[in-house]
Amino acid sequence: MLDHSFGFYGIAFFGIILARYFLVAGGMYLFFYSPFRQSLSGQNPPQVPSWDSIRRDIKLSVLSAAVFAIASAFIVSGYGWNLTRIYSNPHQYGLWYLGISYSLVLILQDAYFYFTHRLFHHPSLFRWLHQGHHRSRYTTPWTSFAFDPLEAIVSSLFLVGIVFVIPLHFITLIAVLTTMTVWAVLNHLGIDRLPVSFPHHWLGKWFIGPAHHSIHHFKYTLHYGLYFTFWDKLFHTQDLRYEENFDKRLTIENEPIN
C-alpha cells in the first residue's frame, strides 16, 4: 500500500515529469536540430525557431509539468485509498488484457484529444486555453508540452478519469504515458526532420506524424488528432491535398538513383 502524502507525490512527480521532458525533448532537439546533423530526408530544414520561442515553450512546459504532477499525485493517492481501478497483479485480468487495455486507452485518448482540441480552437476559448501552444508556428520538440495551464488541466483530466472507469495495470499506465510523451515529441519535430516515408506509407497514413501535425500549426482549422488520422478524416478536418501531396513526395523519394 502506498502511504506517502499527496504533497510528497506532487513534488516527486513534478521532478520526474520535468526530468523526462528535458531528457526526451532535449535529446531529440540536440539530435535533429544539431548544426552538424545532415537532414535524414536529404533536404534543408525549412525553419529554425528563435531561442525566444524555445524559451517560451520551455516556460509553458514547466507549468504543464506542475499540472500533470498534481494529476499524477491524485491518481496515485486514489490508488492508495482503493478508489481507482488500477491493479498490480498482471494476471488479475490475464496478460492478454494488458495489450487490449493499452490499445483501448489510446483510442479513447485520441478521441478525447480530438474533440477537446477542436473546442480549444473556438474563438471564445482559444485565447485562454490554446494560444500559448500556437505561438510556436515552427515547432520543435520543446513545443511538445507547451500548454497553457487551463489546457494542461483539461488534458490531464482524461487519465485522471480513466483510472476510475477502466481496470488498468501500472505497466499499462506507464506504457500509455510513455507513448504520449514520445508521440508528442515526434509530432512536433517539424517538417522534413524525418524521412517522408515516416510514418506516411500505406499503413502510416492512419497515424499522425510530424508533417501531419505541422500543418495544424500553419492552418489552425485542420488536423486536430493526437495518434490517428481517423477523426480528421471522418469529420473532414484533414487537408484534402495532404495524402495526394505525400504520395507525390513518396514517389520522388523512392525513385532509383541512376
Side-chain angles (χ1 to χ4, degrees), residues 109-140:
Q109 186 183 23
D110 185 63
Y112 180 83
F113 183 89
Y114 177 86
F115 291 108
T116 56
H117 193 182
R118 287 197 69 174
L119 185 64
F120 294 157
H121 277 267
H122 190 279
S124 63
L125 299 176
F126 181 79
R127 178 183 175 186
W128 306 102
L129 282 89
H130 200 47
Q131 188 177 53
H133 186 72
H134 272 282
R135 286 198 173 100
S136 294
R137 183 174 176 83
Y138 297 97
T139 61
T140 71

PDB file of all heavy atoms in Angstrom, residues 109-140:
ATOM      1  N   GLN A 109      -8.231   8.092 -25.694  1.00  0.00           N
ATOM      2  CA  GLN A 109      -7.472   9.328 -25.503  1.00  0.00           C
ATOM      3  C   GLN A 109      -7.411  10.144 -26.784  1.00  0.00           C
ATOM      4  O   GLN A 109      -7.513  11.371 -26.762  1.00  0.00           O
ATOM      5  CB  GLN A 109      -6.058   9.015 -25.011  1.00  0.00           C
ATOM      6  CG  GLN A 109      -5.251  10.256 -24.648  1.00  0.00           C
ATOM      7  CD  GLN A 109      -3.837   9.919 -24.241  1.00  0.00           C
ATOM      8  OE1 GLN A 109      -3.291   8.863 -24.604  1.00  0.00           O
ATOM      9  NE2 GLN A 109      -3.224  10.794 -23.475  1.00  0.00           N
ATOM     10  N   ASP A 110      -7.271   9.452 -27.904  1.00  0.00           N
ATOM     11  CA  ASP A 110      -7.234  10.133 -29.190  1.00  0.00           C
ATOM     12  C   ASP A 110      -8.559  10.841 -29.459  1.00  0.00           C
ATOM     13  O   ASP A 110      -8.590  11.982 -29.944  1.00  0.00           O
ATOM     14  CB  ASP A 110      -6.938   9.127 -30.296  1.00  0.00           C
ATOM     15  CG  ASP A 110      -6.758   9.786 -31.650  1.00  0.00           C
ATOM     16  OD1 ASP A 110      -5.824  10.583 -31.801  1.00  0.00           O
ATOM     17  OD2 ASP A 110      -7.549   9.503 -32.565  1.00  0.00           O
ATOM     18  N   ALA A 111      -9.672  10.178 -29.157  1.00  0.00           N
ATOM     19  CA  ALA A 111     -10.990  10.789 -29.340  1.00  0.00           C
ATOM     20  C   ALA A 111     -11.160  11.986 -28.413  1.00  0.00           C
ATOM     21  O   ALA A 111     -11.643  13.052 -28.829  1.00  0.00           O
ATOM     22  CB  ALA A 111     -12.089   9.756 -29.080  1.00  0.00           C
ATOM     23  N   TYR A 112     -10.772  11.824 -27.154  1.00  0.00           N
ATOM     24  CA  TYR A 112     -10.869  12.919 -26.181  1.00  0.00           C
ATOM     25  C   TYR A 112     -10.043  14.107 -26.637  1.00  0.00           C
ATOM     26  O   TYR A 112     -10.498  15.258 -26.587  1.00  0.00           O
ATOM     27  CB  TYR A 112     -10.380  12.424 -24.823  1.00  0.00           C
ATOM     28  CG  TYR A 112     -10.420  13.463 -23.713  1.00  0.00           C
ATOM     29  CD1 TYR A 112     -11.591  13.711 -23.008  1.00  0.00           C
ATOM     30  CD2 TYR A 112      -9.274  14.180 -23.364  1.00  0.00           C
ATOM     31  CE1 TYR A 112     -11.631  14.646 -21.984  1.00  0.00           C
ATOM     32  CE2 TYR A 112      -9.304  15.124 -22.344  1.00  0.00           C
ATOM     33  CZ  TYR A 112     -10.482  15.351 -21.658  1.00  0.00           C
ATOM     34  OH  TYR A 112     -10.510  16.289 -20.649  1.00  0.00           O
ATOM     35  N   PHE A 113      -8.834  13.838 -27.118  1.00  0.00           N
ATOM     36  CA  PHE A 113      -7.942  14.903 -27.568  1.00  0.00           C
ATOM     37  C   PHE A 113      -8.527  15.621 -28.786  1.00  0.00           C
ATOM     38  O   PHE A 113      -8.500  16.853 -28.856  1.00  0.00           O
ATOM     39  CB  PHE A 113      -6.570  14.321 -27.917  1.00  0.00           C
ATOM     40  CG  PHE A 113      -5.560  15.354 -28.312  1.00  0.00           C
ATOM     41  CD1 PHE A 113      -4.760  15.959 -27.354  1.00  0.00           C
ATOM     42  CD2 PHE A 113      -5.388  15.728 -29.635  1.00  0.00           C
ATOM     43  CE1 PHE A 113      -3.820  16.921 -27.711  1.00  0.00           C
ATOM     44  CE2 PHE A 113      -4.462  16.681 -30.012  1.00  0.00           C
ATOM     45  CZ  PHE A 113      -3.673  17.286 -29.036  1.00  0.00           C
ATOM     46  N   TYR A 114      -9.045  14.854 -29.729  1.00  0.00           N
ATOM     47  CA  TYR A 114      -9.582  15.466 -30.949  1.00  0.00           C
ATOM     48  C   TYR A 114     -10.699  16.457 -30.629  1.00  0.00           C
ATOM     49  O   TYR A 114     -10.683  17.606 -31.105  1.00  0.00           O
ATOM     50  CB  TYR A 114     -10.098  14.388 -31.905  1.00  0.00           C
ATOM     51  CG  TYR A 114     -10.729  14.961 -33.160  1.00  0.00           C
ATOM     52  CD1 TYR A 114      -9.940  15.276 -34.267  1.00  0.00           C
ATOM     53  CD2 TYR A 114     -12.097  15.219 -33.229  1.00  0.00           C
ATOM     54  CE1 TYR A 114     -10.501  15.825 -35.411  1.00  0.00           C
ATOM     55  CE2 TYR A 114     -12.668  15.764 -34.370  1.00  0.00           C
ATOM     56  CZ  TYR A 114     -11.862  16.073 -35.453  1.00  0.00           C
ATOM     57  OH  TYR A 114     -12.424  16.630 -36.576  1.00  0.00           O
ATOM     58  N   PHE A 115     -11.672  16.026 -29.845  1.00  0.00           N
ATOM     59  CA  PHE A 115     -12.833  16.886 -29.600  1.00  0.00           C
ATOM     60  C   PHE A 115     -12.512  18.044 -28.659  1.00  0.00           C
ATOM     61  O   PHE A 115     -13.039  19.153 -28.842  1.00  0.00           O
ATOM     62  CB  PHE A 115     -13.996  16.046 -29.067  1.00  0.00           C
ATOM     63  CG  PHE A 115     -14.560  15.112 -30.100  1.00  0.00           C
ATOM     64  CD1 PHE A 115     -14.343  13.745 -30.022  1.00  0.00           C
ATOM     65  CD2 PHE A 115     -15.287  15.606 -31.177  1.00  0.00           C
ATOM     66  CE1 PHE A 115     -14.843  12.886 -30.989  1.00  0.00           C
ATOM     67  CE2 PHE A 115     -15.802  14.758 -32.148  1.00  0.00           C
ATOM     68  CZ  PHE A 115     -15.582  13.400 -32.047  1.00  0.00           C
ATOM     69  N   THR A 116     -11.676  17.826 -27.656  1.00  0.00           N
ATOM     70  CA  THR A 116     -11.288  18.952 -26.798  1.00  0.00           C
ATOM     71  C   THR A 116     -10.398  19.921 -27.567  1.00  0.00           C
ATOM     72  O   THR A 116     -10.492  21.140 -27.377  1.00  0.00           O
ATOM     73  CB  THR A 116     -10.570  18.473 -25.534  1.00  0.00           C
ATOM     74  OG1 THR A 116      -9.428  17.665 -25.886  1.00  0.00           O
ATOM     75  CG2 THR A 116     -11.511  17.677 -24.642  1.00  0.00           C
ATOM     76  N   HIS A 117      -9.548  19.385 -28.446  1.00  0.00           N
ATOM     77  CA  HIS A 117      -8.674  20.226 -29.249  1.00  0.00           C
ATOM     78  C   HIS A 117      -9.493  21.139 -30.161  1.00  0.00           C
ATOM     79  O   HIS A 117      -9.200  22.339 -30.297  1.00  0.00           O
ATOM     80  CB  HIS A 117      -7.730  19.334 -30.071  1.00  0.00           C
ATOM     81  CG  HIS A 117      -6.591  20.063 -30.692  1.00  0.00           C
ATOM     82  ND1 HIS A 117      -5.663  19.430 -31.504  1.00  0.00           N
ATOM     83  CD2 HIS A 117      -6.197  21.358 -30.633  1.00  0.00           C
ATOM     84  CE1 HIS A 117      -4.765  20.310 -31.909  1.00  0.00           C
ATOM     85  NE2 HIS A 117      -5.068  21.495 -31.396  1.00  0.00           N
ATOM     86  N   ARG A 118     -10.496  20.591 -30.785  1.00  0.00           N
ATOM     87  CA  ARG A 118     -11.377  21.412 -31.622  1.00  0.00           C
ATOM     88  C   ARG A 118     -12.084  22.463 -30.773  1.00  0.00           C
ATOM     89  O   ARG A 118     -12.271  23.612 -31.207  1.00  0.00           O
ATOM     90  CB  ARG A 118     -12.407  20.543 -32.338  1.00  0.00           C
ATOM     91  CG  ARG A 118     -11.841  19.710 -33.471  1.00  0.00           C
ATOM     92  CD  ARG A 118     -12.926  19.192 -34.401  1.00  0.00           C
ATOM     93  NE  ARG A 118     -13.550  20.275 -35.171  1.00  0.00           N
ATOM     94  CZ  ARG A 118     -14.442  20.060 -36.140  1.00  0.00           C
ATOM     95  NH1 ARG A 118     -14.801  18.810 -36.447  1.00  0.00           N
ATOM     96  NH2 ARG A 118     -14.973  21.066 -36.791  1.00  0.00           N
ATOM     97  N   LEU A 119     -12.480  22.092 -29.568  1.00  0.00           N
ATOM     98  CA  LEU A 119     -13.139  23.039 -28.671  1.00  0.00           C
ATOM     99  C   LEU A 119     -12.196  24.179 -28.296  1.00  0.00           C
ATOM    100  O   LEU A 119     -12.620  25.347 -28.223  1.00  0.00           O
ATOM    101  CB  LEU A 119     -13.618  22.309 -27.415  1.00  0.00           C
ATOM    102  CG  LEU A 119     -14.436  23.123 -26.414  1.00  0.00           C
ATOM    103  CD1 LEU A 119     -15.756  23.581 -27.043  1.00  0.00           C
ATOM    104  CD2 LEU A 119     -14.705  22.292 -25.160  1.00  0.00           C
ATOM    105  N   PHE A 120     -10.921  23.842 -28.072  1.00  0.00           N
ATOM    106  CA  PHE A 120      -9.944  24.874 -27.717  1.00  0.00           C
ATOM    107  C   PHE A 120      -9.814  25.933 -28.811  1.00  0.00           C
ATOM    108  O   PHE A 120      -9.437  27.072 -28.539  1.00  0.00           O
ATOM    109  CB  PHE A 120      -8.561  24.254 -27.489  1.00  0.00           C
ATOM    110  CG  PHE A 120      -8.476  23.333 -26.311  1.00  0.00           C
ATOM    111  CD1 PHE A 120      -7.482  22.366 -26.246  1.00  0.00           C
ATOM    112  CD2 PHE A 120      -9.393  23.412 -25.270  1.00  0.00           C
ATOM    113  CE1 PHE A 120      -7.390  21.510 -25.165  1.00  0.00           C
ATOM    114  CE2 PHE A 120      -9.321  22.556 -24.181  1.00  0.00           C
ATOM    115  CZ  PHE A 120      -8.315  21.601 -24.133  1.00  0.00           C
ATOM    116  N   HIS A 121     -10.104  25.549 -30.045  1.00  0.00           N
ATOM    117  CA  HIS A 121      -9.952  26.472 -31.163  1.00  0.00           C
ATOM    118  C   HIS A 121     -11.189  27.355 -31.371  1.00  0.00           C
ATOM    119  O   HIS A 121     -11.189  28.185 -32.284  1.00  0.00           O
ATOM    120  CB  HIS A 121      -9.640  25.698 -32.446  1.00  0.00           C
ATOM    121  CG  HIS A 121      -8.185  25.366 -32.590  1.00  0.00           C
ATOM    122  ND1 HIS A 121      -7.303  26.167 -33.279  1.00  0.00           N
ATOM    123  CD2 HIS A 121      -7.462  24.326 -32.097  1.00  0.00           C
ATOM    124  CE1 HIS A 121      -6.095  25.636 -33.220  1.00  0.00           C
ATOM    125  NE2 HIS A 121      -6.162  24.516 -32.512  1.00  0.00           N
ATOM    126  N   HIS A 122     -12.187  27.188 -30.556  1.00  0.00           N
ATOM    127  CA  HIS A 122     -13.335  28.086 -30.638  1.00  0.00           C
ATOM    128  C   HIS A 122     -12.867  29.497 -30.282  1.00  0.00           C
ATOM    129  O   HIS A 122     -12.108  29.681 -29.313  1.00  0.00           O
ATOM    130  CB  HIS A 122     -14.443  27.642 -29.681  1.00  0.00           C
ATOM    131  CG  HIS A 122     -15.729  28.363 -29.880  1.00  0.00           C
ATOM    132  ND1 HIS A 122     -15.972  29.627 -29.366  1.00  0.00           N
ATOM    133  CD2 HIS A 122     -16.869  28.008 -30.548  1.00  0.00           C
ATOM    134  CE1 HIS A 122     -17.183  30.014 -29.699  1.00  0.00           C
ATOM    135  NE2 HIS A 122     -17.749  29.047 -30.414  1.00  0.00           N
ATOM    136  N   PRO A 123     -13.283  30.502 -31.049  1.00  0.00           N
ATOM    137  CA  PRO A 123     -12.777  31.866 -30.824  1.00  0.00           C
ATOM    138  C   PRO A 123     -12.908  32.367 -29.386  1.00  0.00           C
ATOM    139  O   PRO A 123     -12.056  33.118 -28.909  1.00  0.00           O
ATOM    140  CB  PRO A 123     -13.638  32.705 -31.786  1.00  0.00           C
ATOM    141  CG  PRO A 123     -14.015  31.755 -32.877  1.00  0.00           C
ATOM    142  CD  PRO A 123     -14.184  30.422 -32.209  1.00  0.00           C
ATOM    143  N   SER A 124     -13.938  31.941 -28.688  1.00  0.00           N
ATOM    144  CA  SER A 124     -14.143  32.421 -27.317  1.00  0.00           C
ATOM    145  C   SER A 124     -13.243  31.707 -26.303  1.00  0.00           C
ATOM    146  O   SER A 124     -13.099  32.179 -25.165  1.00  0.00           O
ATOM    147  CB  SER A 124     -15.610  32.248 -26.909  1.00  0.00           C
ATOM    148  OG  SER A 124     -15.975  30.876 -26.909  1.00  0.00           O
ATOM    149  N   LEU A 125     -12.641  30.596 -26.696  1.00  0.00           N
ATOM    150  CA  LEU A 125     -11.801  29.824 -25.775  1.00  0.00           C
ATOM    151  C   LEU A 125     -10.327  29.838 -26.145  1.00  0.00           C
ATOM    152  O   LEU A 125      -9.475  29.627 -25.272  1.00  0.00           O
ATOM    153  CB  LEU A 125     -12.281  28.368 -25.731  1.00  0.00           C
ATOM    154  CG  LEU A 125     -13.704  28.132 -25.240  1.00  0.00           C
ATOM    155  CD1 LEU A 125     -14.059  26.646 -25.352  1.00  0.00           C
ATOM    156  CD2 LEU A 125     -13.864  28.604 -23.802  1.00  0.00           C
ATOM    157  N   PHE A 126     -10.028  30.063 -27.422  1.00  0.00           N
ATOM    158  CA  PHE A 126      -8.665  29.912 -27.917  1.00  0.00           C
ATOM    159  C   PHE A 126      -7.653  30.739 -27.124  1.00  0.00           C
ATOM    160  O   PHE A 126      -6.595  30.249 -26.744  1.00  0.00           O
ATOM    161  CB  PHE A 126      -8.613  30.299 -29.392  1.00  0.00           C
ATOM    162  CG  PHE A 126      -7.251  30.146 -30.012  1.00  0.00           C
ATOM    163  CD1 PHE A 126      -6.783  28.901 -30.407  1.00  0.00           C
ATOM    164  CD2 PHE A 126      -6.426  31.252 -30.194  1.00  0.00           C
ATOM    165  CE1 PHE A 126      -5.534  28.757 -30.975  1.00  0.00           C
ATOM    166  CE2 PHE A 126      -5.171  31.115 -30.753  1.00  0.00           C
ATOM    167  CZ  PHE A 126      -4.724  29.869 -31.149  1.00  0.00           C
ATOM    168  N   ARG A 127      -7.985  31.979 -26.853  1.00  0.00           N
ATOM    169  CA  ARG A 127      -7.049  32.873 -26.170  1.00  0.00           C
ATOM    170  C   ARG A 127      -6.680  32.366 -24.789  1.00  0.00           C
ATOM    171  O   ARG A 127      -5.555  32.535 -24.326  1.00  0.00           O
ATOM    172  CB  ARG A 127      -7.668  34.274 -26.072  1.00  0.00           C
ATOM    173  CG  ARG A 127      -6.805  35.283 -25.327  1.00  0.00           C
ATOM    174  CD  ARG A 127      -7.524  36.612 -25.208  1.00  0.00           C
ATOM    175  NE  ARG A 127      -6.758  37.543 -24.401  1.00  0.00           N
ATOM    176  CZ  ARG A 127      -7.188  38.738 -24.026  1.00  0.00           C
ATOM    177  NH1 ARG A 127      -8.401  39.141 -24.408  1.00  0.00           N
ATOM    178  NH2 ARG A 127      -6.437  39.535 -23.283  1.00  0.00           N
ATOM    179  N   TRP A 128      -7.644  31.722 -24.118  1.00  0.00           N
ATOM    180  CA  TRP A 128      -7.441  31.318 -22.731  1.00  0.00           C
ATOM    181  C   TRP A 128      -6.865  29.909 -22.593  1.00  0.00           C
ATOM    182  O   TRP A 128      -6.200  29.609 -21.599  1.00  0.00           O
ATOM    183  CB  TRP A 128      -8.767  31.395 -21.973  1.00  0.00           C
ATOM    184  CG  TRP A 128      -9.415  32.726 -22.080  1.00  0.00           C
ATOM    185  CD1 TRP A 128     -10.468  33.086 -22.878  1.00  0.00           C
ATOM    186  CD2 TRP A 128      -9.042  33.913 -21.386  1.00  0.00           C
ATOM    187  NE1 TRP A 128     -10.780  34.407 -22.727  1.00  0.00           N
ATOM    188  CE2 TRP A 128      -9.916  34.946 -21.811  1.00  0.00           C
ATOM    189  CE3 TRP A 128      -8.050  34.206 -20.437  1.00  0.00           C
ATOM    190  CZ2 TRP A 128      -9.834  36.248 -21.314  1.00  0.00           C
ATOM    191  CZ3 TRP A 128      -7.966  35.504 -19.955  1.00  0.00           C
ATOM    192  CH2 TRP A 128      -8.843  36.499 -20.394  1.00  0.00           C
ATOM    193  N   LEU A 129      -7.129  29.057 -23.563  1.00  0.00           N
ATOM    194  CA  LEU A 129      -6.768  27.657 -23.407  1.00  0.00           C
ATOM    195  C   LEU A 129      -5.669  27.169 -24.356  1.00  0.00           C
ATOM    196  O   LEU A 129      -5.010  26.170 -24.044  1.00  0.00           O
ATOM    197  CB  LEU A 129      -7.999  26.760 -23.600  1.00  0.00           C
ATOM    198  CG  LEU A 129      -8.952  26.667 -22.420  1.00  0.00           C
ATOM    199  CD1 LEU A 129     -10.005  27.748 -22.488  1.00  0.00           C
ATOM    200  CD2 LEU A 129      -9.622  25.302 -22.360  1.00  0.00           C
ATOM    201  N   HIS A 130      -5.486  27.830 -25.505  1.00  0.00           N
ATOM    202  CA  HIS A 130      -4.645  27.184 -26.509  1.00  0.00           C
ATOM    203  C   HIS A 130      -3.687  28.118 -27.241  1.00  0.00           C
ATOM    204  O   HIS A 130      -2.856  27.654 -28.024  1.00  0.00           O
ATOM    205  CB  HIS A 130      -5.564  26.494 -27.524  1.00  0.00           C
ATOM    206  CG  HIS A 130      -4.912  25.420 -28.337  1.00  0.00           C
ATOM    207  ND1 HIS A 130      -4.118  24.422 -27.812  1.00  0.00           N
ATOM    208  CD2 HIS A 130      -4.931  25.187 -29.682  1.00  0.00           C
ATOM    209  CE1 HIS A 130      -3.689  23.627 -28.774  1.00  0.00           C
ATOM    210  NE2 HIS A 130      -4.159  24.076 -29.927  1.00  0.00           N
ATOM    211  N   GLN A 131      -3.796  29.401 -26.986  1.00  0.00           N
ATOM    212  CA  GLN A 131      -2.974  30.351 -27.731  1.00  0.00           C
ATOM    213  C   GLN A 131      -1.486  30.165 -27.471  1.00  0.00           C
ATOM    214  O   GLN A 131      -0.659  30.317 -28.370  1.00  0.00           O
ATOM    215  CB  GLN A 131      -3.387  31.785 -27.385  1.00  0.00           C
ATOM    216  CG  GLN A 131      -2.728  32.846 -28.252  1.00  0.00           C
ATOM    217  CD  GLN A 131      -3.232  34.239 -27.926  1.00  0.00           C
ATOM    218  OE1 GLN A 131      -3.208  34.670 -26.774  1.00  0.00           O
ATOM    219  NE2 GLN A 131      -3.714  34.941 -28.941  1.00  0.00           N
ATOM    220  N   GLY A 132      -1.128  29.828 -26.233  1.00  0.00           N
ATOM    221  CA  GLY A 132       0.281  29.655 -25.891  1.00  0.00           C
ATOM    222  C   GLY A 132       0.963  28.604 -26.737  1.00  0.00           C
ATOM    223  O   GLY A 132       2.099  28.789 -27.178  1.00  0.00           O
ATOM    224  N   HIS A 133       0.269  27.504 -26.983  1.00  0.00           N
ATOM    225  CA  HIS A 133       0.859  26.425 -27.776  1.00  0.00           C
ATOM    226  C   HIS A 133       1.074  26.864 -29.219  1.00  0.00           C
ATOM    227  O   HIS A 133       2.054  26.473 -29.859  1.00  0.00           O
ATOM    228  CB  HIS A 133      -0.050  25.199 -27.731  1.00  0.00           C
ATOM    229  CG  HIS A 133       0.537  23.988 -28.395  1.00  0.00           C
ATOM    230  ND1 HIS A 133       1.569  23.272 -27.847  1.00  0.00           N
ATOM    231  CD2 HIS A 133       0.232  23.367 -29.566  1.00  0.00           C
ATOM    232  CE1 HIS A 133       1.882  22.263 -28.641  1.00  0.00           C
ATOM    233  NE2 HIS A 133       1.083  22.299 -29.700  1.00  0.00           N
ATOM    234  N   HIS A 134       0.177  27.678 -29.725  1.00  0.00           N
ATOM    235  CA  HIS A 134       0.248  28.079 -31.131  1.00  0.00           C
ATOM    236  C   HIS A 134       1.146  29.285 -31.370  1.00  0.00           C
ATOM    237  O   HIS A 134       1.286  29.718 -32.513  1.00  0.00           O
ATOM    238  CB  HIS A 134      -1.156  28.348 -31.678  1.00  0.00           C
ATOM    239  CG  HIS A 134      -1.810  27.124 -32.217  1.00  0.00           C
ATOM    240  ND1 HIS A 134      -1.509  26.591 -33.452  1.00  0.00           N
ATOM    241  CD2 HIS A 134      -2.732  26.298 -31.667  1.00  0.00           C
ATOM    242  CE1 HIS A 134      -2.234  25.506 -33.643  1.00  0.00           C
ATOM    243  NE2 HIS A 134      -2.983  25.304 -32.576  1.00  0.00           N
ATOM    244  N   ARG A 135       1.754  29.805 -30.326  1.00  0.00           N
ATOM    245  CA  ARG A 135       2.728  30.873 -30.559  1.00  0.00           C
ATOM    246  C   ARG A 135       3.950  30.317 -31.287  1.00  0.00           C
ATOM    247  O   ARG A 135       4.717  31.073 -31.878  1.00  0.00           O
ATOM    248  CB  ARG A 135       3.129  31.519 -29.241  1.00  0.00           C
ATOM    249  CG  ARG A 135       2.051  32.427 -28.663  1.00  0.00           C
ATOM    250  CD  ARG A 135       2.604  33.379 -27.626  1.00  0.00           C
ATOM    251  NE  ARG A 135       1.600  34.343 -27.214  1.00  0.00           N
ATOM    252  CZ  ARG A 135       0.896  34.253 -26.101  1.00  0.00           C
ATOM    253  NH1 ARG A 135       1.076  33.229 -25.282  1.00  0.00           N
ATOM    254  NH2 ARG A 135      -0.002  35.169 -25.786  1.00  0.00           N
ATOM    255  N   SER A 136       4.121  29.000 -31.231  1.00  0.00           N
ATOM    256  CA  SER A 136       5.199  28.348 -31.975  1.00  0.00           C
ATOM    257  C   SER A 136       4.653  27.893 -33.320  1.00  0.00           C
ATOM    258  O   SER A 136       4.081  26.814 -33.435  1.00  0.00           O
ATOM    259  CB  SER A 136       5.752  27.148 -31.198  1.00  0.00           C
ATOM    260  OG  SER A 136       6.381  27.563 -30.019  1.00  0.00           O
ATOM    261  N   ARG A 137       4.826  28.735 -34.317  1.00  0.00           N
ATOM    262  CA  ARG A 137       4.381  28.378 -35.668  1.00  0.00           C
ATOM    263  C   ARG A 137       5.275  27.290 -36.234  1.00  0.00           C
ATOM    264  O   ARG A 137       4.806  26.344 -36.872  1.00  0.00           O
ATOM    265  CB  ARG A 137       4.424  29.621 -36.566  1.00  0.00           C
ATOM    266  CG  ARG A 137       3.913  29.381 -37.983  1.00  0.00           C
ATOM    267  CD  ARG A 137       3.851  30.701 -38.740  1.00  0.00           C
ATOM    268  NE  ARG A 137       3.465  30.533 -40.131  1.00  0.00           N
ATOM    269  CZ  ARG A 137       2.221  30.415 -40.565  1.00  0.00           C
ATOM    270  NH1 ARG A 137       1.225  30.455 -39.703  1.00  0.00           N
ATOM    271  NH2 ARG A 137       1.959  30.278 -41.859  1.00  0.00           N
ATOM    272  N   TYR A 138       6.579  27.415 -35.989  1.00  0.00           N
ATOM    273  CA  TYR A 138       7.535  26.381 -36.372  1.00  0.00           C
ATOM    274  C   TYR A 138       7.892  25.613 -35.107  1.00  0.00           C
ATOM    275  O   TYR A 138       8.566  26.134 -34.226  1.00  0.00           O
ATOM    276  CB  TYR A 138       8.778  26.998 -37.015  1.00  0.00           C
ATOM    277  CG  TYR A 138       8.491  27.734 -38.297  1.00  0.00           C
ATOM    278  CD1 TYR A 138       8.320  29.118 -38.306  1.00  0.00           C
ATOM    279  CD2 TYR A 138       8.358  27.045 -39.501  1.00  0.00           C
ATOM    280  CE1 TYR A 138       8.042  29.789 -39.485  1.00  0.00           C
ATOM    281  CE2 TYR A 138       8.078  27.716 -40.685  1.00  0.00           C
ATOM    282  CZ  TYR A 138       7.928  29.095 -40.669  1.00  0.00           C
ATOM    283  OH  TYR A 138       7.648  29.751 -41.836  1.00  0.00           O
ATOM    284  N   THR A 139       7.412  24.389 -35.031  1.00  0.00           N
ATOM    285  CA  THR A 139       7.521  23.630 -33.790  1.00  0.00           C
ATOM    286  C   THR A 139       8.870  22.942 -33.657  1.00  0.00           C
ATOM    287  O   THR A 139       9.559  22.673 -34.642  1.00  0.00           O
ATOM    288  CB  THR A 139       6.403  22.578 -33.711  1.00  0.00           C
ATOM    289  OG1 THR A 139       6.543  21.663 -34.813  1.00  0.00           O
ATOM    290  CG2 THR A 139       5.037  23.237 -33.765  1.00  0.00           C
ATOM    291  N   THR A 140       9.223  22.643 -32.422  1.00  0.00           N
ATOM    292  CA  THR A 140      10.406  21.848 -32.078  1.00  0.00           C
ATOM    293  C   THR A 140       9.984  20.860 -30.999  1.00  0.00           C
ATOM    294  O   THR A 140       8.866  20.953 -30.461  1.00  0.00           O
ATOM    295  CB  THR A 140      11.545  22.738 -31.529  1.00  0.00           C
ATOM    296  OG1 THR A 140      11.172  23.215 -30.221  1.00  0.00           O
ATOM    297  CG2 THR A 140      11.843  23.913 -32.457  1.00  0.00           C
TER     298      THR A 140
END
